[in-house]
């Protein structure tokens, strides 16, 4: 087996083992993919302050996210169709996260259902909600998450309409899947993936099929899904969701200080600075670049997390040092999952943890909660001198 020393190693194995249409689904953004690229490259603009002659023993990356103990300030982000990247993908990723001591977030658009994941894990996980036009479905899926003892609800706010993702369209990635001839040929070479899919019973969106009248297969799901995301979603709706849920509420997709203030007003427990991994509004700023302005606006009043672009433990350290209390990895854990299943997700977490721990030490810190702007060298114009 190849020696895994960084997330890129997992990505290369992932690319070889997973069908191209699902690789492209993960490794792409909308339109020109500018925001997708800058989510990662903007981290490179932030440099680290090395400190020496500091006692580096007794280090700990442990902290809390929304009051929950975590082994490091990293959660697995909600990723749709994770169960198509690897058979039973959501279950395997949740198991890896549980064993590592970090949160797993299950997507509404998951292949494995809420109940599936709950039956195969022993600790609470988080559930991500898309607001749908079907209010009865929204109410019922929130109740299902409560019944499964999910410990937080993550509401995604930036997918009222779908951003155009050219690769998905060209690959025929739809519901049901309509692969191109090129992808059919590619699929024939992915014997490991095919063998895994042949062994599992989970091939549909488990949180939807069988839970809505008239939806019993992928074809009927296609019609429903194309019409179901709620373009009317507003802050009053968020208040109603908070009432229905009754537990810790995290709002994902905040990229503007004014929206961060609104999240505070509706009573969210945390916000996730995120641009959906560059898959929605292309041309938006990277998450790490807007983090300082959001911290200035609400940072001492609400817990701020960051998603989009994190590929290393150093990225985690930079986000935490700039004020975030937690971070999320999506593509990084998907690379591991597609490469080696549950073991690959664990490997991704191991890599990030080691990078975070080592970098923290070389920056002269022993406790992750002591990280701050004093550990960074940030360009003077990093926040941007943008005009509205």
């Amino acid at each position: 087996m190849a020696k895994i020393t960084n997330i890129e190693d997992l990505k290369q194995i992932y690319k070889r083992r997973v069908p191209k249409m699902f690789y492209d689904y993960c490794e792409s953004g909308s339109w020109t993919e500018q925001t997708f690229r800058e989510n990662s490259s903007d981290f490179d603009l932030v440099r680290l302050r090395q400190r020496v002659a500091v006692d580096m023993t007794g280090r700990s990356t442990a902290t809390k996210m929304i009051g929950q103990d975590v082994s490091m300030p990293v959660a697995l982000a909600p990723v749709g169709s994770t169960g198509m990247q690897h058979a039973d993908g959501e279950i395997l990723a949740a198991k890896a996260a549980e064993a590592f001591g970090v949160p797993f977030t299950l997507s509404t658009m998951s292949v494995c259902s809420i109940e599936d994941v709950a039956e195969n894990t022993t600790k609470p996980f988080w559930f991500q909600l898309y607001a749908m036009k079907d209010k009865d479905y929204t109410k019922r899926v929130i109740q299902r998450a409560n019944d499964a003892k999910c410990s937080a609800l993550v509401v995604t706010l930036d997918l009222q309409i779908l951003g155009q993702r050219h690769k998905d369209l060209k690959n025929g990635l739809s519901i049901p899947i309509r692969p191109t001839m090129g992808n059919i040929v590619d699929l024939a070479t992915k014997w490991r993936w095919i063998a895994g899919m042949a062994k599992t019973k989970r091939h549909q969106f488990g949180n939807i099929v069988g839970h809505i009248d008239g939806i019993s297969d992928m074809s009927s799901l296609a019609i429903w899904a194309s019409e179901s995301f709620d373009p009317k979603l507003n802050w009053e709706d968020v208040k109603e969701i908070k009432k229905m849920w009754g537990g810790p509420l995290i709002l994902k997709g905040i990229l503007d200080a004014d929206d961060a203030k609104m999240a505070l007003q509706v009573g969210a427990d945390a916000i996730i600075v995120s641009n959906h991994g560059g898959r929605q509004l292309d041309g938006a700023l990277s998450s790490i670049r807007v983090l300082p302005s959001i911290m200035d606006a609400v940072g001492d009043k609400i817990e701020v997390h960051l998603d989009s672009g994190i590929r290393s433990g150093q990225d985690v350290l930079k986000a935490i040092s700039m004020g975030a209390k937690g971070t999320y990895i999506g593509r990084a854990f998907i690379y591991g999952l597609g490469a080696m299943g549950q073991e690959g997700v664990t490997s991704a977490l191991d890599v990030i943890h080691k990078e975070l721990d080592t970098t923290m030490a070389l920056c002269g810190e022993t406790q992750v909660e002591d990280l701050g702007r004093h550990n960074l060298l940030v360009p003077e114009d990093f926040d941007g001198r943008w005009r509205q």
Side-chain angles (χ1 to χ4, degrees):
M1 181 180 293
K3 180 69 174 177
I4 305 301
T5 62
N6 54 44
I7 295 299
E8 182 64 24
D9 290 339
L10 290 169
K11 180 180 175 182
Q12 293 307 312
I13 301 172
Y14 165 66
K15 186 175 183 179
R16 294 196 301 268
R17 293 184 175 177
V18 173
K20 182 178 184 297
M21 68 172 68
F22 297 118
Y23 173 85
D24 283 350
Y25 171 78
C26 173
E27 194 62 13
S28 63
S30 61
W31 299 94
T32 70
E33 300 188 341
Q34 176 187 17
T35 300
F36 165 68
R37 294 188 300 272
E38 291 180 353
N39 273 335
S40 295
S41 64
D42 280 353
F43 272 100
D44 296 336
L45 302 176
V46 179
R47 300 303 179 90
L48 303 169
R49 288 185 66 204
Q50 177 177 296
R51 302 302 303 275
V52 297
V54 176
D55 183 353
M56 297 180 180
T57 60
R59 296 189 305 280
S60 174
T61 60
T63 184
K64 293 179 182 290
M65 292 176 67
I66 59 164
Q68 299 181 22
D69 290 331
V70 293
S71 61
M72 62 177 173
V74 175
L76 269 58
V79 179
S81 302
T82 293
M84 297 306 291
Q85 301 285 352
H86 189 287
D88 302 333
E90 290 90 358
I91 291 172
L92 299 182
K95 284 183 172 182
E98 178 180 303
F100 209 91
V102 298
F104 169 77
T105 316
L106 181 69
S107 170
T108 294
M109 304 304 290
S110 61
V111 174
C112 302
S113 69
I114 299 170
E115 293 78 10
D116 273 340
V117 177
E119 288 172 6
N120 286 279
T121 53
T122 62
K123 296 180 181 178
F125 54 93
W126 298 352
F127 180 67
Q128 175 268 337
L129 176 73
Y130 283 123
M132 303 294 191
K133 292 178 184 177
D134 186 338
K135 303 302 183 184
D136 182 61
Y137 170 76
T138 297
K139 183 177 180 179
R140 285 186 287 111
V141 78
I142 288 175
Q143 185 58 54
R144 288 169 57 203
N146 263 314
D147 293 343
K149 309 300 181 184
C150 292
S151 54
L153 185 70
V154 179
V155 180
T156 296
L157 300 178
D158 61 356
L159 202 101
Q160 291 169 267
I161 61 172
L162 195 65
Q164 182 164 313
R165 302 154 191 178
H166 297 325
K167 290 178 183 176
D168 289 350
L169 295 171
K170 290 175 180 177
N171 284 331
L173 190 66
S174 60
I175 307 171
I177 293 170
R178 298 184 180 89
T180 64
M181 182 56 67
N183 279 323
I184 292 173
V185 173
D186 172 71
L187 194 63
T189 69
K190 303 300 189 289
W191 58 269
R192 188 189 300 263
W193 182 89
I194 292 172
M197 288 298 171
K199 294 177 182 177
T200 183
K201 62 183 179 180
R202 303 175 179 93
H203 299 119
Q204 307 190 81
F205 288 121
N207 289 325
I208 298 172
V209 175
H211 295 282
I212 297 176
D213 291 340
I215 297 181
S216 58
D217 56 29
M218 295 297 273
S219 295
S220 54
L221 172 63
I223 298 172
W224 180 85
S226 67
E227 301 173 348
S228 289
F229 292 107
D230 189 0
K232 295 182 180 180
L233 176 66
N234 58 62
W235 293 109
E236 290 302 315
D237 294 327
V238 175
K239 289 181 183 178
E240 288 301 311
I241 289 171
K242 178 179 170 61
K243 288 180 184 177
M244 283 189 279
W245 169 242
L249 179 71
I250 304 172
L251 299 182
K252 180 175 181 285
I254 304 298
L255 211 64
D256 187 275
D258 288 342
D259 286 336
K261 293 174 184 177
M262 287 301 302
L264 182 64
Q265 289 182 28
V266 300
D269 296 280
I271 60 174
I272 306 176
V273 178
S274 171
N275 52 44
H276 215 95
R279 292 173 61 78
Q280 282 297 97
L281 178 61
D282 190 38
L285 293 176
S286 68
S287 293
I288 191 64
R289 195 180 282 270
V290 301
L291 179 60
S293 64
I294 290 177
M295 293 304 306
D296 288 344
V298 299
D300 60 343
K301 302 179 183 70
I302 190 172
E303 193 164 313
V304 178
H305 301 167
L306 183 135
D307 165 74
S308 303
I310 290 179
R311 302 289 188 274
S312 72
Q314 288 202 338
D315 293 341
V316 173
L317 184 142
K318 290 173 182 178
I320 299 302
S321 296
M322 292 181 77
K325 297 298 183 184
T327 62
Y328 294 71
I329 57 170
R331 291 179 175 94
F333 94 78
I334 290 294
Y335 299 157
L337 178 69
M340 297 183 292
Q342 182 175 337
E343 180 185 355
V345 178
T346 300
S347 181
L349 290 168
D350 276 332
V351 164
I352 288 174
H353 180 264
K354 183 174 183 178
E355 291 171 341
L356 172 60
D357 176 68
T358 302
T359 305
M360 192 170 69
L362 294 174
C363 287
E365 303 290 354
T366 61
Q367 305 298 312
V368 73
E369 293 180 341
D370 291 337
L371 292 169
R373 287 294 285 263
H374 63 279
N375 298 117
L376 304 179
L377 295 171
V378 183
E380 290 184 1
D381 62 345
F382 186 73
D383 298 20
R385 297 175 181 175
W386 311 101
R387 292 183 180 179
Q388 290 184 324

